[in-house]
Amino acid sequence: MDAARAKKWMQLFNEKIQDQKDYLSDLDTPIGDGDHGANMARGMAAAVENLAAKDFASAAEVFQAVSMQLISKVGGASGPLYGSAFMGMAKAEKDGKDLPEVIQAGLDMIQKRGKAVPGEKTMVDVWSGVVMALQKGELTKETIHTLVEATKDMKATKGRASYVGERSIGHIDPGSYSSGLLFEALLEVEEKA
Ligand code: ADP
Ligand code: MG
């Protein structure tokens, strides 16, 4: 990916986050503390503002800059988790990896930091499903939608939602929903949507 496309991807992700800010917080209300929309909106607004102010020579630099903004501006769990993901993606881009490997590197960092495995009702469920679809060359909006919806029937065993135990069943995981927006934006910049 080149710097311009990476920047466009991040801008599009930010637009989707700002549009869905209230919905993301609504998802976080029954199973968390209702701040996921505000967290992501604050972090991504700062990230794109920072991107607009500078020139970037590579996608790696873009992801690195986004990572720093998310880690420093977001208090919730999602800031360090997304921040770690973008850090892993920056490293993989620097090493000349292709897109599935870049997203895999992001997932690896999320798991290194948060210790969640698939099935625990976290953003890991969407990231891991997206990696598999990308490896097969068949990531679509429908696949993303299915992955996000699948978190509804899961019981949370990691993160704040794990505190409500069984009562987390029946609600979509907010971090999975925001991750879905990230990958929808990716499809749009890749012109595959
Ligand atoms: P907080 O939980 O601190 O309020 P947010 O509400 O912004 O932070 O983010 C919650 C989201 O973070 C969850 O919906 C889930 O997808 C993700 N999350 C929480 N803990 C983990 C973890 N250990 N591993 C992966 N993702 C996690
Ligand atoms: Mg929260």
Side-chain angles (χ1 to χ4, degrees):
M1 188 176 287
D2 61 25
R5 188 161 288 197
K7 208 164 169 174
K8 183 91 197 74
W9 179 18
M10 293 301 105
Q11 284 162 346
L12 217 51
F13 177 42
N14 176 54
E15 281 171 28
K16 290 179 188 294
I17 289 290
Q18 303 302 333
D19 284 352
Q20 308 271 333
K21 179 181 168 185
D22 292 346
Y23 182 60
L24 286 168
S25 285
D26 287 348
L27 289 176
D28 195 32
T29 302
I31 63 171
D33 54 358
D35 65 352
H36 190 59
N39 284 342
M40 293 305 294
R42 182 181 342 109
M44 283 312 296
V48 296
E49 197 177 309
N50 177 256
L51 291 182
K54 293 178 198 157
D55 279 330
F56 294 87
S58 66
E61 284 182 17
V62 170
F63 296 151
Q64 186 62 36
V66 170
S67 168
M68 298 316 287
Q69 290 297 318
L70 292 177
I71 291 171
S72 63
K73 303 279 166 26
V74 181
S78 56
L81 288 163
Y82 271 104
S84 300
F86 283 112
M87 201 181 285
M89 288 160 60
K91 166 95 173 47
E93 274 287 345
K94 218 185 220 164
D95 295 343
K97 306 279 186 177
D98 62 14
L99 187 61
E101 292 172 313
V102 168
I103 308 301
Q104 173 77 62
L107 169 63
D108 289 346
M109 288 294 276
I110 294 172
Q111 292 189 282
K112 201 170 163 192
R113 176 133 206 155
K115 311 281 181 237
V117 296
E120 293 195 280
K121 200 184 183 91
T122 71
M123 59 174 78
V124 165
D125 292 301
V126 169
W127 282 72
S128 58
V130 164
V131 168
M132 272 189 265
L134 282 172
Q135 283 166 347
K136 289 189 240 157
E138 54 192 35
L139 182 67
T140 61
K141 285 208 173 179
E142 203 182 345
T143 309
I144 295 168
H145 179 78
T146 303
L147 290 168
V148 173
E149 285 290 322
T151 66
K152 199 167 176 174
D153 297 331
M154 295 176 190
K155 180 180 147 185
T157 46
K158 284 283 183 316
R160 205 179 280 278
S162 66
Y163 306 161
V164 302
E166 296 286 333
R167 280 186 291 119
S168 68
I169 299 170
H171 304 280
I172 291 172
D173 171 56
S176 294
Y177 192 89
S178 60
S179 296
L181 298 179
L182 175 67
F183 296 118
E184 278 181 22
L186 173 66
L187 285 179
E188 287 167 24
V189 292
E190 295 276 303
E191 283 153 15
K192 284 177 184 152

